[in-house]
Amino acid sequence: NPGSLLEIYSAVYLLQPYFKKAHVLENITVLGIARGSDEAFQVVEKIISDVYTNTGGFGLKEYYKLG
């Protein structure tokens, strides 16, 4: 979703055949891995907090040099 800072997906979801296509893989970047939804939200919070602390903004793409 272009309007989202980050998205959370289950690893099982990413095992679907669709995600094995080269053009799809080119557009996916994994910034964190967690065990369960609670930990996933903690990882997202940490990523966003780190970016804001280091840049004063929420430009994740620029911070991680994506796209």
Side-chain angles (χ1 to χ4, degrees):
N1 182 355
S4 300
L5 287 175
L6 294 170
E7 296 181 18
I8 297 173
Y9 292 99
S10 167
V12 174
Y13 180 73
L14 296 174
L15 292 173
Q16 294 181 41
Y18 171 78
F19 291 101
K20 295 181 180 172
K21 297 177 182 177
H23 73 281
V24 175
L25 289 174
E26 291 174 359
N27 295 309
I28 294 176
T29 302
V30 176
L31 294 178
I33 297 176
R35 182 177 291 168
S37 60
D38 289 341
E39 188 174 317
F41 288 117
Q42 292 173 358
V43 170
V44 167
E45 181 181 13
K46 176 75 170 127
I47 290 169
I48 293 172
S49 176
D50 287 350
V51 171
Y52 186 79
T53 298
N54 290 304
T55 68
F58 298 103
L60 274 72
K61 287 184 179 182
E62 295 78 16
Y63 185 76
Y64 287 104
K65 297 176 177 49
L66 305 172

